[in-house]
Amino acid sequence: MSNIVLQVENLHTSFFTRAGEVKAIDGVSFYVREGETFGIVGESGCGKSVTGLSILRLLPEPAGQVTEGKIILEGKNLLELSKKEMRAYRGKMISMILQDPMTSLNPVYTVGDQIAESVRLHQDLPENMVEAEVVSALRLLRIPDPEMRIKEYPFQLSGGMRQRVVGAIAMSCRPRLLIADEPTTALDATIQAQYIALFEDIQAKTNVAIIFITHDFGVVSRICDRVGVMYAGKILETAPTREIFKAPKHPYTAALINSVPQLDKKDEKLFSIEGQPPSLLNLPPGCRFYPRCTVSMDICKEQEPPEVKLDDNHSVSCWRVK
Ligand SMILES: Nc1ncnc2c1ncn2[C@@H]1O[C@H](COP(=O)(O)OP(=O)(O)O)[C@@H](O)[C@H]1O
Ligand SMILES: [Mg+2]
């Protein structure tokens, strides 16, 4: 098996607000191997982006704080690095692709200038080699006519092409870990499929470890090797993607999978999960999914279920699973 690139252990992240402590991440653990894609899936507000920002140490300070845990990248705990060391890590070892490409591109610079800036910042290259590196970053993202494209501005590109440019910038530092936060959400279905194929291609060429954040289990099935199902700041189930689709163990996982539209079952009414996630300001005792669970028992209301390891790769936190 390939090496573990990132290991997150018992991560806790809170926002200290006027209303009190918002426990956005409440004890999350997972790992990602070289060349592997680990998915984080869950409804809006469950803590997916905050997990990514915690790893990058880009939480809005001083409100957002990691209060406990370890984030180990290739043997180094990122939480122990100075700000300066962390900046170097962000450039060389980890990068992130955000949902909206327009917020990550600067409208007044050409595509080429923006990628070149990232190359100069992160790679020690003589100036006469920068353009070749920019072109190769665009090629990696399968952007046609890269020599022409470098002279264009973001507004001249389609949404899908812009998202590829963002990908080219993220990959231009040759990271070991790429965090992609809902990178396909703003794209239509065809472009989305192309973009996902591109990720596989990039991974085959670079062996980068990827954390793929999404609210869509359909996307998970297409790109992730393993997945963690997140709910109200906790991962409730982790398993290889195939296994979780075949036999989800947590009622929340099953409900999420049931709410994915299936092409061959067009007429069937889509299942949706009743109710809302709990407030992270004041979590009641017991299982955090209990109020929405259709198969809950008395104990679920009173005690938080422990994590049960079904095997090396499959863990679940549910009183129904022993
Ligand atoms: N700046 C902030 N201030 C206070 N709470 C925040 C802030 N950002 C996020 N949160 C809390 O963290 C939770 C998780 O947010 P986020 O990770 O962005 O969710 P998502 O899974 O949709 O990416 C939110 O539900 C919210 O309660
Ligand atoms: Mg988010």
Side-chain angles (χ1 to χ4, degrees):
M1 263 205 202
S2 40
N3 296 332
I4 290 180
V5 173
L6 177 81
Q7 176 113 35
V8 173
E9 285 173 26
N10 194 29
L11 180 69
H12 287 73
T13 300
S14 289
F15 291 94
F16 295 90
T17 69
R18 234 171 269 166
E21 179 180 355
V22 177
K23 292 189 173 170
I25 310 291
D26 195 13
V28 159
S29 303
F30 63 90
Y31 65 87
V32 199
R33 290 181 187 278
E34 204 170 48
E36 182 187 49
T37 300
F38 181 74
I40 299 180
V41 64
E43 290 166 285
S44 172
C46 71
K48 304 182 296 297
S49 295
V50 172
T51 302
L53 294 173
S54 300
I55 294 168
L56 286 155
R57 287 189 41 195
L58 288 175
L59 291 165
E61 287 179 347
Q65 301 277 347
V66 172
T67 57
E68 204 184 323
K70 289 184 184 158
I71 299 172
I72 300 167
L73 185 80
E74 310 230 288
K76 251 253 179 298
N77 185 357
L78 299 183
L79 297 173
E80 288 169 354
L81 299 181
S82 69
K83 287 201 163 146
K84 192 174 161 207
E85 288 170 319
M86 191 60 214
R87 261 197 302 278
Y89 260 71
R90 265 200 301 273
K92 282 202 161 64
M93 304 282 280
I94 323 174
S95 45
M96 188 155 178
I97 298 178
L98 300 171
Q99 177 174 337
D100 178 6
M102 273 326 246
T103 57
S104 355
L105 291 177
N106 191 327
V108 302
Y109 292 105
T110 64
V111 163
D113 284 344
Q114 293 185 61
I115 302 174
E117 183 187 296
S118 168
V119 168
R120 283 188 201 105
L121 204 61
H122 303 309
Q123 291 187 43
D124 226 355
L125 280 182
E127 190 53 33
N128 63 1
M129 285 174 72
V130 169
E131 185 168 320
E133 190 67 19
V134 171
V135 168
S136 98
L138 289 169
R139 284 229 168 83
L140 179 66
L141 272 287
R142 298 237 177 121
I143 296 173
D145 304 322
E147 287 86 358
M148 300 290 293
R149 291 287 177 180
I150 56 176
K151 298 183 192 115
E152 292 181 344
Y153 289 86
F155 75 87
Q156 293 174 292
L157 305 175
S158 68
M161 216 39 92
R162 278 202 289 265
Q163 193 59 309
R164 289 188 188 207
V165 170
V166 173
I169 294 173
M171 291 306 296
S172 68
C173 68
R174 308 193 175 179
R176 301 279 296 136
L177 174 71
L178 176 66
I179 303 174
D181 190 355
E182 312 229 17
T184 61
T185 304
L187 307 175
D188 69 43
T190 319
I191 308 289
Q192 183 175 318
Q194 287 170 4
Y195 202 65
I196 286 173
L198 205 57
F199 267 90
E200 288 174 342
D201 193 38
I202 291 171
Q203 200 167 43
K205 284 181 186 146
T206 64
N207 225 12
V208 63
I210 299 177
I211 297 176
F212 201 99
I213 294 175
T214 177
H215 62 272
D216 182 349
F217 240 114
V219 171
V220 169
S221 72
R222 274 176 270 153
I223 183 162
C224 301
D225 300 301
R226 287 183 305 115
V227 62
V229 179
M230 203 163 182
Y231 187 77
K234 240 194 161 113
I235 291 184
L236 299 184
E237 180 165 10
T238 316
T241 307
R242 274 164 161 242
E243 194 169 318
I244 221 166
F245 268 89
K246 210 161 45 174
K249 297 290 187 217
H250 199 288
Y252 179 59
T253 311
L256 274 184
I257 291 174
N258 273 331
S259 59
V260 174
Q262 288 179 327
L263 288 175
D264 52 340
K265 294 184 186 160
K266 250 192 194 129
D267 300 332
E268 247 169 59
K269 196 167 170 282
L270 262 190
F271 176 85
S272 68
I273 309 167
E274 296 276 326
Q276 295 291 322
S279 157
L280 299 173
L281 256 178
N282 231 327
L283 270 179
C287 172
R288 54 199 70 205
F289 186 59
Y290 158 78
R292 300 170 78 189
C293 185
T294 54
V295 294
S296 63
M297 306 178 291
D298 287 343
I299 191 170
C300 307
K301 190 175 180 177
E302 286 142 23
Q303 285 180 49
E304 182 146 45
E307 187 180 71
V308 177
K309 255 180 173 273
L310 298 172
D311 59 50
D312 273 355
N313 274 321
H314 198 158
S315 306
V316 195
S317 304
C318 174
W319 284 115
R320 290 229 169 241
V321 179
K322 295 224 170 63

